Amino acid sequence: MALQKNISLQPLNTFGINVKTKELAIIKDVAELKNILSNNLSPIYILGGGSNILFTKDFDGLILKNKLKGIQLINENNNEVYLKVASGEIWHEFVCYCIENNYCGIENLSLIPGSVGASPMQNIGAYGVEVKDFITEVEALHLKSLKTTHFSTNDCEFDYRSSIFKTKEKDNYFITAVTFKLNKQPNINTSYGAIQSELEAMGIRNPTIKDVSNAVINIRKSKLPDPKEIGNAGSFFKNPSVSNEKAISLKTNFPDIPNYPQSNGTTKIAAGWLIEQCGFKGKTYGNYGVHKNQALVLVNYGGAKGKDIYDLSSEIINAVNNKFGIELEREVNVI
Ligand code: EPU
């Protein structure tokens, strides 16, 4: 397959940043991927849905756009079904496929932008559910040796918005497929407050997984900007964890601070709240800014430079650090 040269990445990143890549390859099968890799000497970046990346400059290398497709039922028993899903499938379309077939578990993860391959990478999560609880295996191709490795759930070292693919093995693998174990019986999880109240507003008492998915879609649409309308990459920052001691002093000084004690002796703090308290929520700087309904989300209103958005994120990190003594970490990958 011929590589495309000097291509704009604007349609391939949900922030809508207009940068160029020296080379682009659209990957539709693994043999083709191996062939490209064996002839390549340039730096590589793998793009799934492009929904968790901020480009701050042109890319002087080869972008691999993942379009591997296919969903295979590989095993099932009375209670569970095992699906091996190609990594280029669109995450929300896969969630919809599961709902249609009554495969239960990931309905709370409806409408998360991005690809199936990115889901283990950052252990996507929302509304009380994390994808790690449904992944049994990740298949990945080593970019240098071109060998295929199968990572068990344990091997993936899943953590909050993280996995081995973001830490020790960062940039070493191309994830080719993910195997999910889903339930044939629903185990409805509406513990996350907003889902329950949304279902009540919808007049639903005994929700199906489709109802839960619809409730999540409604909540996400009301809080988060649609990348098709306003460029963004979802939460730009992670929710920080602090020691319980630090949490006590924060609660004394800021009684309203949203805080979630964890089982490991730390407390998670809502980054959106911290950012809002520093006065950034809804703030606009020409063609970019902080979203009006969710301060965790930085937005490109059209034509913004990645560098400007990056500088704004640094300004936010400094302001939060000065006010609360907490160093926010970016969730989005910056290039
Ligand atoms: N909050 C504010 N101001 C804001 C935003 C939030 O005060 O501008 C407060 C809320 O009132 C609430 C708390 O912060 O008390 C938590 O807010 P919310 O429930 O909206 O969730 P979040 O922590 O801001 C996380 C994920 C989202 C995910 C939601 C729902 C992270 C970094 N973000 O946001 O994920 O959809 O929970 O479960 O963990 C994403 O990763 O791109 C993403 C959107």
Side-chain angles (χ1 to χ4, degrees), residues 21-320:
T21 176
K22 195 172 81 180
E23 292 174 328
L24 172 71
I26 308 288
I27 305 299
K28 292 190 175 155
D29 67 66
V30 177
E32 188 181 34
L33 170 63
K34 284 187 181 170
N35 184 25
I36 289 170
L37 289 173
S38 59
N39 292 309
N40 173 63
L41 295 171
S42 303
I44 287 172
Y45 190 80
I46 302 161
L47 257 190
S51 58
N52 204 38
I53 174 128
L54 177 67
F55 285 106
T56 58
K57 50 182 188 289
D58 288 343
F59 186 69
D60 189 23
L62 168 62
I63 299 268
L64 301 172
K65 168 69 184 165
N66 184 349
K67 289 222 171 159
L68 299 175
K69 299 281 179 187
I71 303 178
Q72 266 177 284
L73 195 159
I74 55 168
N75 205 347
E76 68 181 308
N77 56 37
N78 285 343
N79 303 319
E80 291 143 350
V81 60
Y82 291 76
L83 301 176
K84 183 173 180 181
V85 187
S87 53
E89 288 284 345
I90 293 169
W91 174 260
H92 181 64
E93 289 179 5
F94 170 54
V95 174
C96 292
Y97 170 89
C98 291
I99 292 168
E100 271 162 36
N101 288 284
N102 207 31
Y103 302 149
C104 314
I106 54 172
E107 54 281 357
N108 292 36
L109 304 180
S110 296
L111 212 62
I112 293 188
S115 63
V116 165
S119 67
M121 183 90 91
Q122 67 212 55
N123 181 22
I124 58 172
Y127 308 108
V129 171
E130 277 188 323
V131 78
K132 72 173 172 54
D133 296 326
F134 300 91
I135 291 178
T136 59
E137 189 180 274
V138 174
E139 180 190 272
L141 184 78
H142 193 274
L143 294 175
K144 295 234 160 67
S145 72
L146 303 187
K147 288 211 174 88
T148 296
T149 305
H150 295 94
F151 292 82
S152 68
T153 317
N154 216 15
D155 296 337
C156 290
E157 297 182 9
F158 287 123
D159 204 345
Y160 168 62
R161 291 299 196 273
S162 181
S163 72
I164 197 166
F165 305 106
K166 274 189 103 172
T167 53
K168 275 185 232 160
E169 297 293 0
K170 187 171 161 49
D171 299 334
N172 289 345
Y173 283 93
F174 187 114
I175 293 174
T176 48
V178 183
T179 303
F180 297 87
K181 180 173 82 174
L182 297 154
N183 302 314
K184 290 188 175 172
Q185 293 302 321
N187 181 12
I188 301 287
N189 176 351
T190 56
S191 54
Y192 188 92
I195 296 192
Q196 197 53 48
S197 45
E198 181 61 31
L199 286 167
E200 277 161 26
M202 289 158 69
I204 292 166
R205 276 168 160 259
N206 294 310
T208 62
I209 57 171
K210 174 91 180 143
D211 295 329
V212 172
S213 169
N214 286 338
V216 168
I217 290 172
N218 291 348
I219 301 167
R220 287 189 77 93
K221 282 193 169 158
S222 70
K223 280 195 170 185
L224 298 168
D226 180 351
K228 288 194 197 96
E229 287 157 21
I230 303 176
N232 77 91
S235 299
F236 198 92
F237 303 97
K238 293 186 192 180
N239 286 326
S241 279
V242 301
S243 68
N244 287 345
E245 262 180 346
K246 169 87 179 166
I248 291 168
S249 95
L250 285 167
K251 279 188 269 184
T252 310
N253 294 326
F254 307 98
D256 297 337
I257 193 166
N259 63 94
Y260 314 94
Q262 308 291 298
S263 51
N264 64 0
T266 63
T267 296
K268 203 168 267 183
I269 306 288
W273 186 88
L274 300 172
I275 298 167
E276 182 173 348
Q277 296 302 306
C278 291
F280 286 102
K281 191 170 181 174
K283 219 166 161 184
T284 298
Y285 305 75
N287 52 6
Y288 63 100
V290 179
H291 189 55
K292 63 178 185 351
N293 298 337
Q294 168 53 288
L296 265 186
V297 179
L298 304 189
V299 290
N300 170 15
Y301 292 108
K305 296 262 175 273
K307 173 77 170 58
D308 290 338
I309 293 174
Y310 182 80
D311 289 348
L312 170 59
S313 72
S314 301
E315 200 188 314
I316 290 172
I317 290 172
N318 286 337
V320 168

